[in-house]
Amino acid sequence: MKAELHMRSAFSFLRGASTPEALVARAGELGLGVVGLTDRDGVYGAPRFLKAAKAAGIRAVTGAELTMEDGVVLPVLVESLTGYRHLCRLITKAKLRGTKAEAPVRWDDLPEFAEGLVVLTGDEEGPVRRALARGDPGGARVAAERLVRVFGEGGVYVEVQRQLRRGEEVWERALRDLAGALRLPLMASSGVSHAVREDRAVMDVFSCARHHTSLDGAGRLLAANEERCLRAPSAMRALFGDMPEALAGTERLAERLEFSLEDPGYEFPAYPVPAGETAESFLRKVTMAGARSRYGHLGRAHHRQLEHELGVIGRLGFSGYFLLVWDIVNFCTAANILVQGRGSAANSVVCYALGITACDPVACRLLFERFLSEGRTSWPDIDLDLPSGERRERVIQEVYRRWGPDGAAMTANVITYRGRSAMREIGKALGFPLDVLDRFSRLFGGGDFPHTLELREQILKAGLPAEHPRLGAAVELYGRMRGLPRHLGQHSGGMIICEGKLSGVVPLERAGMEGRVVAQWDKDDCADLGLVKVDLLGLGMMAVLQDTLEMCQDRGRPVDLASIPKDDGATYEMMQRADTVGVFQIESRAQMATLPRMRPECFYDVVVEVAIIRPGPIQGEMLHPYLERRQGRAVVEYFDERLKPVLERTLGVPLFQEQLLQIAMVMANFSAAEAEELRRALSFNRSPERMAAVCEKLRAGMGANGTDPGVIERVAKAVQSFAVYGFPESHAISFALLAYASCWLKVHRAAEFYCGLLNNQPMGFYAPATLVQDARRHGVRVRPVCVQSSGWRCGVEADGSVRMGYCLLRGMTREEGERLERERGRGEFVSLADFQVRSGLGRGRLRSLAAAGALAGLSRHRREAQWRVEVPRDPDDLFAWAETREEGPLEMMTAGERLGADYETTGLTLGPHPMKLLRPGLAGVTVAAELAGVPAHQRVRAAGMVICRQRPGTAKGIVFISLEDETGTVNAVVYPDVYEKNRLVIAEERFLEIEGAVQTADGVTHLRAWKVRALRTPLPGVLPESHDFR
Amino acid sequence: MHLVIQLPGFPLQALRRWRDDPPDLPLAVTDPVGHRHPVLAVNGAAWRAGVRPGQAAVQALARCSGVVLLSRDVRQEKSAMQALLQAGAMFSPEVEATSAGVVTVGVGRSRERDWEVLGARAVEAMRACLLEARVGVGPNPDLALLASRRARPVLVVTEPSAFLRRIALRDLGPPSGLLAVLEGWGVRTAGQLTALPYAETADRLGPEAARLWELAAGRVERPLRCEVGEVEYREGMDFEHPVETLEPLLFVLRRFLDQLTLRLRATWRVAGVMRLTILVEGGEPVERTFTVPTPSADAGLLFRILHTHLETLRLERGPSGVVLELFPGVAEATQFQLFESALRDPNRFGETMARLLALTGEGRAGVAVVEDSHRPDRWRMEAPAFQRVVGVREAERDMTSGLPLHRFRPPMPVRVVVEGWRPVRVESAAVRGRVVESRGPWRLSGQWWEAGGGWRCEEWEVAMVDGSLWRLRREEGEWYVDGCMESAVVRSGEGMWA
């Protein structure tokens, strides 16, 4: 028998222990020809299963195990497209009716959706075996007859599994009798829940997780043996030698199940074009109109490019897709929601003309083929950046409104077991103490980056003794569990839409958020199966920009984002100083360390800056050669003089994917489509065979062009490594536009910009406390929350100062803040008593306002306000407002007390920095502002409040810490040896003192840490959050 | 006057009674159930290294990587608390269990009027119990409590108002919400609070604030709550030197039992369970719980149970201490059903069981209990339960069971000849000959997570020429006969499993 039709993967969530790929790989090793995936209540793993099976030359059958309302489980297999649609709708119906935890299928639902499906009687959870286990053979017959009534005589198979457990023969006899009596065919399966025997351990841990118990306490809840693994056809023949009819039944069933998920019956939603128009003609019309509006006069180059792109789009049948995205953009524009396309779409002049993207690909000489080329079968990928928060939600809800709840869904995000979660599950099953597991998690120091601490050592450090008898099992399990699906989440912005019912293409479920439904597939699965996806991504900076522009408009200093000059000297000077706290993309530690060396002088430098500080170029060791060439320390050279026009703008260093395409086109005469195929073959998911084939083609092409063999090798090598890390130039340009715009606003509209940042927290790298310190360093006056002046959001006052809004006050709700704003609109508060009565705020909120100094206009000092807000007021007292302003008995706050109250109420202070108060006790500690003047290699001590801790995956275990003091920021670099000694100090402490050597290069100063210790402070514990390991 | 005995760092002290750590070893007790396992108490070495109560365990490790984190032990705390209460009772019958590690004693009627001396005696009494105490004496319970917090080790409050002025408000134990408001006002000491106008403060912050104000002013008098919680029947002793013979240990235990049974009888109680803990120098304590078959307060009877156990107990090192606890039970009052017979003398039976257990070792005598495991015939021995009604779990319906199996214990090694993968010939003392029919294999495995990789076996059922049916097992390459089937009749034509 060369088919196995009943398998659960890890996408059955705790009921399967292998990935679909692992199942297929094992099936391939064993020589199986047909495999069926029947995950519990879904087809979550079906696309990955199909993809792996196709690659392995195995036929993939789709199916699912359905949990019924009475608790039994029915495995069903898909026979036809109708059957697949029915399965998806059946699951969707149950999922949308039930809860996230429990969504059983009703028996009454089955008849409507039975056509095209084949049902198996199942294993010990199936209705027939359940009845037999109750000692009720009559009930078993009734259950089987019920299935026959629903699925028809040819639609029911009696499933026989042999897992080498005593007593199986009794079930078998009963099942055989039943099949004979009802004339139902038998089929054999292994009821697979793991690919190989060794994965049974993972299955047992999952069983413990499902039953909330440990391995010691689970008893017979665990598997009795390891036989639920895949078996070779020969093993199945030997095992079922006495029951050939079951094997034959499986074979016949496998032949019958012809449906392939390759065509899930998806139809792209048609755009309602005006009468007499086709999608192509209408797209042409709106594109040309848009282009004329963008460019004014259309030159020959524009015409040529537009015609080329429209031709490709039309031939590929993607016109409707462009119209659909254009429609969403139009909605955003009409609703005054800032929108900008990102990604490779920015290579398209059509996208630019339609207003989807903001950079001119003709002027930037961008390569359209990176976005779209002839021969492409999958949908193009257009991502739209929207202001995060409520404005993006409006766009998402509009998509739901247009295509209906059954026609649109968010794509899923598969959450997998990673370091912490895997060890927690394993530890609980093995009975490790919870505090050991907690410590294990904390030792990660943030993120699940590649282990710099060996796993075994990390477990020991967490407190498990080296001689613990289960340590070995924990290490083994950890390796097996990492990467397995854990649960399904929701993608941040990916939406799929469909003509008709999407629920007939992929099962839909309720999302955690009200009003949203999520599909069972992630974005890659959707792309693989040809479902159109539009990414509606929330970007904090878009919200900041929109808010800033609106404030500028309100204050009579309007700015048009599109016409911000790209050659503003002050903006570039700010970047060169790495004075980029708060701006888009180039505010991270690594970016700030590069800016003074890069010294951007034009917009394209910003594009390079955005692209070069990425894991790819850093790992590909492109950063250093580029900077050396830029600073004139190394000669600009090219692999071949013919590549000069391609690589000139990046000084001979290939940085962008478009350059890869152009290299292939110039050096090997590749067409644009062939070049794109080369890029895809060399990208992340590359298969060795495919890669070898395209590389050979590339070499041959270069050879035919008369290229020197040495050059051929150099180019081929560069292309291969660079294809992995390359970044689309168009994407870099889109991001650089935002980075530049945010820098420009920081320079020229500082108050409004900081205001926008504060109103859209949390976002970016830095907490409000750091942003406020930065604002003050830039001469922006920031005023505290004041009930006589503040609104819910921060605002810019007439004198250009920023007035903090109630949104920064901890615990304050939007409703309360807006009520205060409205109440003040009716007239100023004449006294504190008047405020108390009119605000309607509770005692806790009043205390908070008093402590924050927000009642300063109504009292002499904070303490007096604190004393007076405690007086009970009767809202019905007509003269409650008329209070006597007697002096309270409380003394004024000291500077330290004000600092504490500030942090406690708003998380930031407008008074002296905490480090200033600690300074008298820090003899010999160098302040941030003086660090740059310290000679290189000199030993110094620096101290400050931690505002950022990072351990990038590309940094080989190095940790970057930013400490803020009253004069600026100290950037420390902690090498792994020092980090390992001080892991917990670095991860846990809010104030640090770091001793080390000053390192200075090209105007960038770092402190290389030798010693790290906690700075003990009497300051309050309610300090702002640092940006830790994110 | 009132005297407060306080055990600072109570959770740590309770644990350290039985520990012998070097004084410079940083120690911290954490709460294993709290969020992020907060530190509850630290010793001097840990304090000097920056570890503080309230920190998360990981933060404590961040401050001092060498700190030894101990998990809080509520049982030990209870035991220390009992010692504290008993020490309090030495001075007066008015003893209040004020809070964990704190007792308040009304000493107004004490004949000793030198409070320093009285306090020193209390410190000594606690030291005898291996506990470091601080003692405060004051005109009312609250002042005495505050004094105990500042005592080194004894502090007598003679001028309440001057004393109170410097006391931290937090030490007066105000509700957390009120404390937060007052600290927000900058009011952190009792003196600062009493500087505020009483009426206006009470008007703003309510009756809790008014009470706190009065407490801060030393005006609060409260009666002691002289209920000390659940009475424990527990005695313990540490020997100066490890005892080397049984007699001294039995002598001590007999005295304990005399005392404890006297207290039991005074409250009309009987002992249902005894727990004996023998502390062994440099080793883990040896603990044994005895169920008294028929609960009793007869010291002689209880002593015999202990004696039987100790007679055969072998310890690698001499006991350095002993703790005996009695747990009251319900006196025997059972009505049997018509055909049910009782043991003639359950206590005697219990004593015999104890003797058997002492001889055979724990887990090697008693009642066999089948374990919840896939491993065939996996069971363990449990001591018979005399006082609890054990519901007999109905055997799971097993549709697959065939003929009854006579199981060999232990299974018998056997030589098996295999053809292909099936046994064809069996040779052992019990069974020998050609296999005419076989069924299997049934595969079982488990406990893979244990060191050594757990167990794994394969079972077969075979029919021999003579019609007998046997169960074979192969484990770790060896074959065994697990047992034979009853009524092993093979009826030709119907197959042996009919």
Coordinates of all heavy atoms in Angstrom, one line a residue, chain A residues 890-941:
Chain A
L890 N 0.6 71.1 54.3 CA 1.6 70.2 53.7 C 2.7 71.1 53.1 O 2.5 72.2 52.6 CB 1.1 69.3 52.6 CG -0.1 68.4 53.0 CD1 -0.6 67.6 51.8 CD2 0.4 67.5 54.1
E891 N 4.0 70.6 53.3 CA 5.1 71.3 52.8 C 5.3 71.1 51.2 O 4.8 70.1 50.7 CB 6.4 70.9 53.5 CG 6.4 71.3 54.9 CD 7.7 70.8 55.6 OE1 8.6 70.3 54.9 OE2 7.7 70.9 56.8
M892 N 5.9 72.0 50.6 CA 6.1 71.9 49.1 C 7.0 70.7 48.9 O 7.8 70.3 49.7 CB 6.9 73.1 48.6 CG 6.0 74.3 48.3 SD 6.9 75.7 47.7 CE 7.4 75.1 46.1
M893 N 6.8 70.1 47.7 CA 7.6 69.0 47.3 C 9.1 69.4 47.1 O 9.3 70.5 46.6 CB 7.1 68.3 46.0 CG 5.9 67.5 46.1 SD 5.5 66.8 44.5 CE 4.0 65.9 44.9
T894 N 10.0 68.5 47.5 CA 11.4 68.7 47.2 C 11.6 68.4 45.7 O 10.7 67.7 45.1 CB 12.3 67.9 48.0 OG1 12.0 66.5 47.7 CG2 12.1 68.1 49.5
A895 N 12.7 68.6 45.2 CA 13.0 68.3 43.8 C 12.9 66.8 43.6 O 12.4 66.3 42.6 CB 14.4 68.8 43.4
G896 N 13.4 66.0 44.5 CA 13.4 64.6 44.4 C 11.9 64.1 44.4 O 11.6 63.1 43.7
E897 N 11.1 64.7 45.3 CA 9.7 64.3 45.4 C 9.0 64.6 44.1 O 8.1 63.9 43.6 CB 9.1 65.0 46.6 CG 9.5 64.4 47.9 CD 8.9 65.1 49.1 OE1 8.7 66.3 49.0 OE2 8.7 64.5 50.2
R898 N 9.3 65.8 43.5 CA 8.6 66.1 42.3 C 9.0 65.1 41.2 O 8.1 64.7 40.4 CB 9.0 67.6 41.9 CG 8.2 68.6 42.5 CD 8.3 69.9 41.7 NE 9.7 70.4 41.7 CZ 10.3 71.1 42.6 NH1 9.6 71.5 43.7 NH2 11.5 71.6 42.5
L899 N 10.2 64.8 41.2 CA 10.7 63.8 40.2 C 9.9 62.5 40.3 O 9.4 61.9 39.4 CB 12.2 63.5 40.4 CG 12.8 62.5 39.4 CD1 13.2 63.2 38.1 CD2 14.1 61.9 40.0
G900 N 9.8 62.0 41.6 CA 9.1 60.8 41.8 C 7.6 60.9 41.4 O 7.1 60.0 40.8
A901 N 7.0 62.0 41.8 CA 5.6 62.2 41.4 C 5.5 62.3 39.9 O 4.5 61.7 39.3 CB 5.1 63.5 42.0
D902 N 6.4 62.9 39.2 CA 6.3 63.0 37.7 C 6.4 61.6 37.1 O 5.6 61.3 36.3 CB 7.5 63.8 37.2 CG 7.3 65.3 37.4 OD1 6.2 65.7 37.7 OD2 8.3 66.1 37.3
Y903 N 7.3 60.8 37.5 CA 7.5 59.5 37.0 C 6.3 58.6 37.3 O 5.8 57.8 36.5 CB 8.8 58.8 37.4 CG 9.9 59.3 36.6 CD1 11.0 59.9 37.1 CD2 9.9 59.1 35.2 CE1 12.1 60.3 36.4 CE2 11.0 59.5 34.4 CZ 12.1 60.1 35.0 OH 13.1 60.5 34.2
E904 N 5.8 58.8 38.5 CA 4.6 58.0 38.9 C 3.4 58.3 38.1 O 2.6 57.5 37.8 CB 4.4 58.2 40.4 CG 3.6 57.1 41.0 CD 3.8 57.1 42.5 OE1 4.8 57.6 43.1 OE2 2.8 56.6 43.2
T905 N 3.2 59.6 37.8 CA 2.0 60.0 37.1 C 2.1 60.0 35.6 O 1.1 59.8 34.9 CB 1.5 61.4 37.6 OG1 2.6 62.3 37.5 CG2 1.1 61.3 39.1
T906 N 3.2 60.4 35.1 CA 3.3 60.5 33.6 C 4.5 59.7 33.0 O 4.5 59.6 31.8 CB 3.6 62.0 33.2 OG1 4.8 62.4 33.8 CG2 2.4 62.9 33.6
G907 N 5.3 59.1 33.8 CA 6.4 58.3 33.3 C 7.5 59.2 32.7 O 8.4 58.7 32.1
L908 N 7.5 60.5 33.0 CA 8.5 61.4 32.5 C 8.6 62.6 33.4 O 7.6 62.9 34.1 CB 8.3 61.8 31.0 CG 7.0 62.5 30.7 CD1 7.2 64.0 30.7 CD2 6.6 62.2 29.3
T909 N 9.7 63.3 33.3 CA 9.8 64.5 34.1 C 10.2 65.7 33.3 O 10.9 65.5 32.3 CB 10.8 64.4 35.3 OG1 10.7 65.5 36.1 CG2 12.2 64.1 34.8
L910 N 9.7 66.9 33.6 CA 10.1 68.1 33.0 C 11.1 68.8 33.8 O 11.6 69.9 33.5 CB 8.9 69.0 32.7 CG 7.8 68.3 31.8 CD1 6.6 69.3 31.6 CD2 8.4 68.0 30.4
G911 N 11.3 68.2 35.0 CA 12.3 68.8 35.9 C 13.7 68.3 35.6 O 13.9 67.7 34.5
P912 N 14.6 68.3 36.6 CA 15.9 67.8 36.3 C 15.9 66.3 36.1 O 15.0 65.6 36.6 CB 16.7 68.1 37.6 CG 15.7 68.6 38.6 CD 14.4 68.9 37.9
H913 N 16.8 65.8 35.3 CA 16.9 64.4 35.0 C 17.3 63.6 36.3 O 18.0 64.2 37.1 CB 18.1 64.2 33.9 CG 18.1 62.9 33.3 ND1 18.7 61.8 33.9 CD2 17.6 62.4 32.1 CE1 18.5 60.7 33.2 NE2 17.9 61.1 32.1
P914 N 16.8 62.4 36.4 CA 17.1 61.7 37.6 C 18.6 61.6 37.9 O 19.0 61.6 39.0 CB 16.5 60.3 37.4 CG 15.5 60.4 36.3 CD 15.9 61.7 35.5
M915 N 19.4 61.5 36.8 CA 20.8 61.4 37.0 C 21.4 62.6 37.6 O 22.4 62.6 38.3 CB 21.5 61.1 35.7 CG 21.3 59.7 35.2 SD 21.7 58.4 36.4 CE 23.5 58.6 36.5
K916 N 20.8 63.7 37.4 CA 21.3 65.0 38.0 C 21.2 64.9 39.5 O 22.0 65.4 40.2 CB 20.5 66.2 37.4 CG 21.1 67.5 37.8 CD 20.5 68.6 37.0 CE 21.3 69.9 37.3 NZ 20.7 71.1 36.6
L917 N 20.1 64.3 40.0 CA 19.9 64.2 41.4 C 20.9 63.2 42.0 O 21.3 63.3 43.2 CB 18.5 63.8 41.7 CG 17.4 64.7 41.2 CD1 16.0 64.2 41.6 CD2 17.6 66.1 41.8
L918 N 21.3 62.2 41.2 CA 22.2 61.2 41.7 C 23.7 61.6 41.6 O 24.6 61.1 42.1 CB 22.0 59.9 40.9 CG 20.7 59.2 41.1 CD1 20.6 58.0 40.1 CD2 20.5 58.7 42.5
R919 N 23.9 62.7 40.8 CA 25.3 63.0 40.4 C 26.2 63.3 41.6 O 27.3 62.8 41.6 CB 25.2 64.3 39.5 CG 26.5 64.7 38.8 CD 27.1 63.6 37.9 NE 26.2 63.3 36.8 CZ 26.4 62.2 36.0 NH1 27.4 61.4 36.3 NH2 25.6 62.0 35.0
P920 N 25.7 64.0 42.7 CA 26.6 64.2 43.8 C 27.2 62.9 44.3 O 28.3 62.9 44.9 CB 25.7 64.9 44.8 CG 24.6 65.5 44.1 CD 24.4 64.6 42.9
G921 N 26.6 61.8 44.2 CA 27.1 60.6 44.7 C 27.9 59.8 43.7 O 28.2 58.6 43.9
L922 N 28.2 60.4 42.6 CA 28.8 59.7 41.5 C 30.2 60.3 41.2 O 30.5 60.7 40.0 CB 28.0 59.6 40.3 CG 26.6 58.9 40.4 CD1 25.8 59.1 39.1 CD2 26.9 57.4 40.6
A923 N 31.0 60.4 42.2 CA 32.3 61.0 41.9 C 33.1 60.1 40.9 O 33.1 58.9 41.0 CB 33.1 61.0 43.3
G924 N 33.8 60.8 40.0 CA 34.6 60.1 39.0 C 33.9 59.5 37.9 O 34.5 58.8 37.0
V925 N 32.6 59.7 37.8 CA 31.8 59.2 36.7 C 31.6 60.3 35.6 O 31.3 61.4 35.9 CB 30.4 58.8 37.2 CG1 29.5 58.4 36.0 CG2 30.5 57.6 38.1
T926 N 32.0 59.9 34.4 CA 32.0 60.8 33.3 C 30.6 61.0 32.7 O 29.8 60.0 32.6 CB 32.9 60.3 32.2 OG1 34.1 60.0 32.7 CG2 33.1 61.4 31.1
V927 N 30.2 62.3 32.5 CA 28.8 62.5 31.9 C 28.9 62.3 30.4 O 29.9 62.3 29.8 CB 28.3 63.9 32.2 CG1 28.1 64.1 33.7 CG2 29.1 65.0 31.6
A928 N 27.7 62.0 29.8 CA 27.6 61.7 28.4 C 28.2 62.8 27.5 O 28.9 62.5 26.6 CB 26.1 61.4 28.0
A929 N 27.9 64.0 27.9 CA 28.4 65.1 27.0 C 29.9 65.2 26.9 O 30.5 65.7 26.0 CB 27.8 66.4 27.5
E930 N 30.6 64.7 27.9 CA 32.0 64.8 28.0 C 32.7 63.6 27.4 O 33.9 63.6 27.2 CB 32.5 65.0 29.4 CG 32.1 66.3 30.0 CD 32.4 66.4 31.5 OE1 33.0 65.4 32.0 OE2 32.1 67.4 32.1
L931 N 32.0 62.6 27.1 CA 32.6 61.3 26.7 C 33.3 61.5 25.3 O 34.3 60.9 25.1 CB 31.5 60.3 26.6 CG 32.0 58.8 26.8 CD1 32.5 58.6 28.2 CD2 30.8 57.9 26.6
A932 N 32.6 62.3 24.5 CA 33.2 62.5 23.1 C 34.6 63.1 23.2 O 35.5 62.9 22.3 CB 32.3 63.3 22.2
G933 N 34.9 63.9 24.3 CA 36.1 64.6 24.4 C 37.2 63.7 25.1 O 38.4 64.1 25.2
V934 N 36.8 62.6 25.6 CA 37.8 61.7 26.2 C 38.7 61.0 25.2 O 38.1 60.5 24.2 CB 37.1 60.6 27.1 CG1 38.1 59.7 27.7 CG2 36.2 61.3 28.2
P935 N 40.0 61.0 25.4 CA 40.8 60.3 24.4 C 40.5 58.8 24.2 O 40.0 58.2 25.2 CB 42.3 60.4 24.9 CG 42.2 61.5 26.0 CD 40.8 61.5 26.5
A936 N 40.7 58.3 23.0 CA 40.3 56.9 22.8 C 41.2 56.0 23.7 O 42.3 56.3 24.0 CB 40.6 56.6 21.3
H937 N 40.6 54.9 24.0 CA 41.2 53.9 24.8 C 41.3 54.2 26.3 O 41.7 53.4 27.1 CB 42.5 53.4 24.3 CG 42.5 53.1 22.9 ND1 41.7 52.2 22.3 CD2 43.2 53.7 21.8 CE1 41.9 52.2 21.0 NE2 42.8 53.1 20.7
Q938 N 40.9 55.4 26.7 CA 41.0 55.8 28.1 C 39.9 55.1 28.9 O 38.8 54.9 28.4 CB 40.9 57.3 28.3 CG 41.1 57.7 29.7 CD 41.3 59.2 29.9 OE1 42.0 59.9 29.1 NE2 40.6 59.8 30.8
R939 N 40.3 54.7 30.1 CA 39.3 54.0 30.9 C 38.4 55.0 31.6 O 38.9 56.0 32.2 CB 40.1 53.2 32.0 CG 39.2 52.3 32.8 CD 40.1 51.6 33.9 NE 39.4 50.6 34.5 CZ 39.8 49.3 34.6 NH1 40.9 49.0 34.1 NH2 39.0 48.4 35.2
V940 N 37.1 54.8 31.5 CA 36.2 55.8 32.2 C 35.0 55.0 32.8 O 34.8 53.8 32.5 CB 35.5 56.8 31.2 CG1 36.6 57.7 30.6 CG2 34.8 56.1 30.1
R941 N 34.3 55.7 33.6 CA 33.1 55.1 34.2 C 31.9 56.0 33.7 O 32.1 57.2 33.8 CB 33.1 55.0 35.7 CG 34.0 53.9 36.2 CD 33.8 53.7 37.7 NE 34.2 54.8 38.5 CZ 33.6 55.4 39.5 NH1 32.4 54.8 39.9 NH2 34.1 56.4 40.2

